[in-house]
């Protein structure tokens, strides 16, 4: 019984620290997105993980999240993350997919393949992020 109480208290402390660190992050401050919402949206979670990894880069940097730019046809396009770094400006299209990803630079759609039972697989396609990012530039 004592083991479960200690494990619960430790888990609670880790959760509280996660909330504190997340709320202090530039991502949370700029997007105003609560941790609970971000964790339930795989796309937003991927964007946060990208930010979390890029913030470790050395040098002066600033991040811009979820920027909307007007297109010539009157619609807008969203840039997931812009990194302003002392070495340059980087425009990133963040994806948070698992499984096998198949695609080439020139194909308009890529395929995600996830394993299923009995040697079968589930396939779904998504817009090529390279082409998607070229729209932003």
């Amino acid at each position: 019984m004592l083991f479960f109480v200690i494990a619960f208290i430790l888990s609670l402390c880790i959760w509280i620290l996660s909330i504190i660190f997340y709320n202090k992050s530039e991502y949370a401050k700029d997007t105003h997105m609560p941790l609970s919402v971000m964790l339930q949206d795989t796309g937003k979670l991927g964007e946060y993980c990208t930010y979390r990894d890029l913030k470790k880069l050395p040098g002066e940097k600033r991040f811009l999240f979820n920027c909307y730019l007007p297109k010539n046809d009157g619609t807008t396009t969203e840039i997931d993350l812009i990194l302003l770094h002392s070495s340059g400006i980087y425009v990133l299209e963040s994806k948070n997919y698992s499984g096998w990803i198949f695609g080439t630079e020139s194909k308009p759609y890529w395929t995600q393949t996830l394993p299923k039972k009995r040697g079968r697989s589930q396939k779904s396609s998504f817009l090529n992020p390279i082409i998607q990012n070229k729209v932003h530039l």
Side-chain angles (χ1 to χ4, degrees):
M1 180 68 168
L2 180 61
F3 171 77
F4 292 112
V5 171
I6 292 171
F8 175 76
I9 291 171
L10 186 59
S11 297
L12 185 62
C13 289
I14 291 171
W15 177 248
I16 291 170
L17 285 173
S18 297
I19 293 171
I20 291 169
F21 284 119
Y22 174 77
N23 288 338
K24 288 184 176 183
S25 74
E26 193 174 342
Y27 183 85
K29 289 176 184 174
D30 286 357
T31 63
H32 306 288
M33 186 178 309
L35 177 63
S36 59
V37 172
M38 185 268 300
L39 291 173
Q40 292 176 14
D41 183 327
T42 56
K44 297 300 180 192
L45 176 60
E47 290 173 13
Y48 174 72
C49 291
T50 301
Y51 153 75
R52 187 191 61 209
D53 291 342
L54 289 174
K55 77 176 185 172
K56 297 174 188 173
L57 289 172
E60 194 68 29
K61 59 191 152 297
R62 176 78 170 99
F63 296 93
L64 302 172
F65 306 101
N66 306 319
C67 298
Y68 290 89
L69 300 176
K71 294 178 14 180
N72 290 337
D73 64 2
T75 62
T76 59
T77 183
E78 180 185 5
I79 299 175
D80 292 334
L81 178 67
I82 299 173
L83 169 59
L84 307 172
H85 190 268
S86 53
S87 65
I89 299 173
Y90 302 88
V91 178
L92 297 133
E93 178 63 35
S94 176
K95 299 294 180 197
N96 190 16
Y97 293 121
S98 59
W100 290 90
I101 306 295
F102 299 96
T104 64
E105 184 177 346
S106 60
K107 296 242 178 175
Y109 288 93
W110 287 7
T111 302
Q112 173 193 33
T113 304
L114 296 169
K116 290 179 79 174
K117 294 181 181 179
R118 298 186 208 151
R120 294 184 175 181
S121 62
Q122 173 186 341
K123 294 182 179 183
S124 58
S125 63
F126 60 94
L127 185 62
N128 176 340
I130 297 169
I131 293 173
Q132 189 176 0
N133 213 21
K134 283 183 181 177
V135 172
H136 302 149
L137 301 176

